[in-house]
Amino acid sequence: MSPDKKMMVSMYETMNRIRLFETKLQEFFAAGRIPGFVHLYLGEEAVATGACAGLTNQDKITSTHRGHGHLLAKGGDLKLMMAEIFGRKDGYCKGKGGSMHIADFDLGILGANGIVGGGGPLALGAALANKYEKTDAVVICFFGDGASNQGTTQESLNMASAWKLPLVFVNENNGYGISCPQCKSMAVTDIADRAAAYDMPGVVVDGNDVLAVHEAVSEAVKRARKGEGPSLVECKTYRWRGHFEGDACTYRCDEELKEWMAKDPIPRFEEKLVESGVLKKKDLKEIKARIEKEVGEAVEFAEQSPLPEASALMDDVYA
Amino acid sequence: MSKKTYLQALNEALRQEMERDEKVFIIGEDVGQFGGCFGVTQGLFDTFGEGRVMDTPITESAIVGTAAGAAASGLRPVAELMFVDFIGVSMDQLFNQAAKMRFMFGGKATVPMTLRMPQGAGIGAAAQHSQSLEAWFMHVPGLKVAIPSTPYDAKGMLISAIRDENPVVFLEHKLLYGVDGDVPDESYTVELGKADIKREGTDVTIVATSLMVHTALAAAEKLQADGISAEVVDPRCLQPLDKETILGSVKKTNALVVAHEAVGFAGPGAEIAAMVAEEALDYLDAPIKRVAAPFCPVPFSPPLEQAYIPNEDDIVAAVKSIR
Ligand SMILES: Cc1ncc(C[n+]2csc(CCOP(=O)(O)OP(=O)(O)O)c2C)c(N)n1
Ligand SMILES: [Mg+2]
């Protein structure tokens, strides 16, 4: 199913939003202005963008520690995200969560997650709720190559399949879990092969090709909506930055990084957009400039938001 | 003897034990060439190779279970979880398997494993990377719980933990890694279950653990200026707990404050306070006070996190409320 022109433009905007947002965070982190940990999504923009395009607010996602891209692709508000990452009172979670714990339940974002493999079982529950309430909404569970080895992930794949839940497992295979290359943490080359063990479709796509990701995931979403059960889509990609900002990245070589940077998903998509006449070169520039401005406004919003007051500490422990 | 950081002391303990005993090996995520999430295993991969410093997949349940099974099979694993918070993923292997094997099997099994885990708040790591969970472990018969506060104790206790015939949960505080102190170059042990009086005093006993020992020592200085002499007792181990040293101190000072970073409710301080109330109530001339984290998850934003972590003024105030 190829996306229409409007969706293509929106996908292009989303990819740039993620790119520029993360680039800003990289700068701010280096300048010591962001507390805690930040895991950037630079280089992987096509995965979240392709997967979330076409979803509604009833459709839900579970995210990971590397969640900014997922949240933005699902419609997350730049200002509220930026403020949260800065630890400010007006952030998505009142400054209590930070980069690894952002959620927007109205948009179907069930939260980034600090626990690798923590999202799978939650996605099961959300998918079960859809089935229970007889809606046709679906859930996407994003998880990394590293996360694919957690028991929780494998349990989720099994149960989703056994119960035919409306769930799509989108694996972001960027080749590493922190310093551990995929070849040292599993014997299979394709994580999608594991789908066979649970009798669900498993496909591999080029995770730096937003249209390929979109096609594969929307096929799986269609299946899930029809009540035919879960699928696993493995997107091969690469993270440009270290595992977290500040990681010296001694475990991988510059050539590998260069190779992958040459497969930058944004120019690749631009080529297609221009070739197919969806956008002109000057449109691309305009879009980038507009998003740059959006990101700038988000920074301003975050900077102007006050830090939370200590008196808020005990709020929201219980409902 | 030379100055070493807490982190270097731990690293040296691992190295010396691995040199001494071929059965000792390290298992965990990114513990190899990468040197561990906080750098504790740095350099060990180069010396001992991947056969003894093993990087695992991200699979905490399997890490703890592999350590337990290997220990029950004659090896001496030292497993590392990157953050204590991840024990949730593997709790069964620790508390139903490792901890109970010996008892359930009528004494047939020995499980000499060490499980190292950093804990504590203070680096903006938020709710799932900042907890202090020692109370979970001290509640489980079969586990020992070591929680060293100084480089000297860290090295000696880690060596003891590795040589111990039981599963030892070894809790390090992230903010202690950079703290330095005098540490002998040679191998030595610090007995698990032996408290240490970190500062002598006569007016009040402050029992503190981990990073809070340093906070308590700073508080004791302030109190001294106000004419109150505080004794700071570091249990160093919560299971077994050195009741004798704590009771001895309380009998001398007649007042007790317990300070820890774990949540106060049902925290380690509850056990210590109950023990003192049961065994030395007559010696107390004031109520027991606890200084601990509030009953909420660890927040992200720095001002909230700072409000969450007990500080020296909290300890000073607790002492002054009874002295
Ligand atoms: C249960 C658990 N174990 C370990 C970690 C530490 N950790 C955070 S991210 C990460 C690597 C995750 O790798 P992957 O799933 O491939 O995602 P990527 O970082 O590559 O996006 C690890 C080990 C964690 N947060 N939670
Ligand atoms: Mg990965």
Side-chain angles (χ1 to χ4, degrees), chain B residues 307-323:
Chain B
Y308 175 91
I309 302 171
N311 60 32
E312 57 192 69
D313 292 336
D314 297 330
I315 297 177
V316 168
V319 169
K320 288 201 170 165
S321 74
I322 54 171
R323 275 293 178 245

Side-chain angles (χ1 to χ4, degrees), chain A residues 173-225:
Chain A
N173 186 351
N174 59 15
Y176 294 85
I178 309 190
S179 76
C180 192
Q182 188 198 339
C183 62
K184 289 224 168 134
S185 70
M186 64 186 90
V188 292
T189 310
D190 294 328
I191 289 166
D193 285 355
R194 291 176 169 175
Y198 304 108
D199 195 26
M200 69 169 82
V203 294
V204 179
V205 295
D206 176 350
N208 283 24
D209 177 347
V210 69
L211 294 176
V213 172
H214 180 68
E215 191 182 323
V217 175
S218 45
E219 197 54 46
V221 164
K222 208 160 69 186
R223 213 179 106 82
R225 282 204 208 287

